[in-house]
């Protein structure tokens, strides 16, 4: 898999890359931004220079991530406007408090917080189940949640429905890489896709049954099978790069047996 590079280049090159990535024509973008398609063309070829307001407007219409909106501004000759604070920064105290409440409130079920590259930012105590028996090299910082999920020496070796979970995660990661323009995700996709699992048929397709509503994670845990599904939440209306890239993934029991197992653990 390869991802279109959007991090460097002139403003026009970056604008064209994001427009093509969003599959939007110059005419459609011009209509949404209330300018002519000719003006969009001039911006992309460098014949016209955008105002800061126009950069912000075009980035909004193309749903460009905040990190790359800063890059567009810099390429156009303006200072970036979106700060990027560390989660541990004093200004992020309300965010940390919110995350801590969400993680603790989800007990006894697992919950994790990840960044844009799916690196682990925080987790509750129940999430320790995902680290059990995992080699130290996979737990070295930064710990990558998707790598833990699919590595054959981690959760990949415990998933009883590995083929279908793997297909779903790789598809989601590929789409995320395409939409975000993040080359790190493209590299991670290629790494995970190259993992091998002797004796496992990865071409098995899941055919939904009449009672299915989603594909669960079916994890071997000793003599038990834990069946879970996940939900992912993000912060609304962020104006900080770090905050815009945080996601909270919560795991929920998919059957009564799994719920009972967590309740007694």
């Amino acid at each position: 898999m390869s991802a279109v590079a959007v991090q460097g280049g002139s403003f026009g090159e970056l604008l064209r890359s994001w427009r093509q990535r969003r599959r939007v024509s110059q005419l459609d973008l011009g209509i949404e931004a209330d300018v002519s398609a000719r003006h969009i063309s001039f911006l992309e070829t460098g014949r016209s220079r955008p105002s800061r307001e126009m950069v912000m407007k075009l980035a909004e219409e193309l749903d460009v991530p905040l990190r790359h909106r800063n890059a567009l501004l810099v390429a156009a000759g303006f200072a970036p406007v979106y700060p990027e604070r560390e989660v541990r920064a004093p200004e992020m105290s309300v965010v940390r408090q919110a995350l801590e409440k969400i993680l603790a409130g989800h007990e006894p079920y697992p919950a994790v917080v990840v960044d844009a590259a799916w690196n682990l930012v925080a987790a509750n105590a129940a999430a320790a189940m995902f680290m059990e028996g995992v080699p130290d090299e996979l737990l070295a910082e930064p710990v990558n949640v998707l790598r833990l999920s699919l590595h054959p020496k981690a959760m990949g070796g415990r998933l009883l429905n590995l083929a279908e979970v793997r297909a779903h995660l790789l598809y989601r990661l590929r789409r995320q890489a395409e939409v975000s323009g993040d080359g790190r995700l493209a590299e991670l996709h290629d790494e995970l896709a190259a993992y091998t699992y002797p004796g496992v048929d990865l071409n098995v397709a899941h055919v939904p049954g009449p009672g299915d509503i989603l594909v669960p994670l079916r994890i071997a845990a000793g003599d038990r099978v834990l069946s879970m599904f996940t939900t992912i939440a993000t912060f609304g209306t962020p104006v900080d790069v770090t905050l815009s890239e945080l996601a909270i993934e919560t795991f929920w029991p998919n059957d009564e047996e799994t719920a009972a197992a967590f309740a007694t653990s």
Side-chain angles (χ1 to χ4, degrees), residues 19 24-33 35-38 40:
R19 181 178 59 76
V24 175
S25 69
Q26 291 180 340
L27 176 60
D28 289 339
L29 180 58
I31 291 173
E32 293 300 323
V35 296
S36 68
R38 179 184 177 89
I40 297 296

Side-chain angles (χ1 to χ4, degrees), residues 1 23 118 146 150 162-180 185-186 188-190 192-193:
M1 174 188 174
R23 295 178 173 84
W118 288 92
L146 291 186
L150 292 181
L162 172 64
E164 55 192 354
V165 171
R166 173 182 179 272
H168 169 74
L169 292 182
L170 289 179
Y171 171 79
R172 185 172 70 181
L173 182 58
R174 183 176 71 250
R175 288 291 300 136
Q176 186 181 359
E178 292 170 352
V179 169
S180 69
L185 296 180
L188 179 61
H189 173 278
D190 291 345
L192 302 186

Side-chain angles (χ1 to χ4, degrees), residues 28-240:
D28 289 339
L29 180 58
I31 291 173
E32 293 300 323
D34 198 25
V35 296
S36 68
R38 179 184 177 89
H39 186 56
I40 297 296
S41 177
F42 279 14
L43 289 175
E44 290 185 355
T45 59
R47 295 180 65 181
S48 293
R49 182 175 181 273
S51 65
R52 187 173 73 164
E53 291 69 23
M54 178 57 64
V55 175
M56 300 285 284
K57 176 66 174 176
L58 293 173
E60 181 72 21
E61 295 298 339
L62 292 172
D63 194 25
V64 177
L66 299 192
R67 179 180 300 278
H68 295 293
R69 295 188 192 195
N70 278 343
L72 281 168
L73 285 163
V74 171
F78 303 105
V81 300
Y82 300 102
E84 183 178 0
R85 305 174 180 89
E86 292 187 2
V87 175
R88 296 184 296 272
E91 302 92 328
M92 299 283 273
S93 61
V94 293
V95 172
R96 291 195 303 274
Q97 292 170 14
L99 293 175
E100 290 167 1
K101 288 181 179 179
I102 293 171
L103 293 176
H106 195 64
E107 296 281 5
Y109 310 126
V112 298
V113 180
V114 298
D115 63 16
W118 288 92
N119 292 322
L120 186 65
V121 175
N124 64 6
M129 63 168 292
F130 300 131
M131 284 70 162
E132 293 176 358
V134 175
D136 291 342
E137 60 266 24
L138 293 178
L139 298 178
E141 297 290 343
V143 176
N144 188 273
V145 169
L146 291 186
R147 186 177 290 117
L148 283 182
S149 299
L150 292 181
H151 197 285
K153 293 183 179 179
M155 291 298 297
R158 298 168 56 192
L159 284 170
L160 301 180
N161 57 339
L162 172 64
E164 55 192 354
V165 171
R166 173 182 179 272
H168 169 74
L169 292 182
L170 289 179
Y171 171 79
R172 185 172 70 181
L173 182 58
R174 183 176 71 250
R175 288 291 300 136
Q176 186 181 359
E178 292 170 352
V179 169
S180 69
D182 193 331
R184 298 172 301 172
L185 296 180
E187 293 175 0
L188 179 61
H189 173 278
D190 291 345
E191 175 193 334
L192 302 186
Y195 289 163
T196 58
Y197 311 87
V200 177
D201 184 359
L202 297 178
N203 296 314
V204 175
H206 175 72
V207 179
D212 289 348
I213 57 174
L214 45 75
V215 175
L217 302 170
R218 298 183 62 244
I219 304 169
D223 58 353
R224 299 178 300 187
V225 175
L226 302 179
S227 180
M228 293 180 286
F229 65 91
T230 71
T231 60
I232 297 177
T234 57
F235 286 90
T237 62
V239 291
D240 178 274

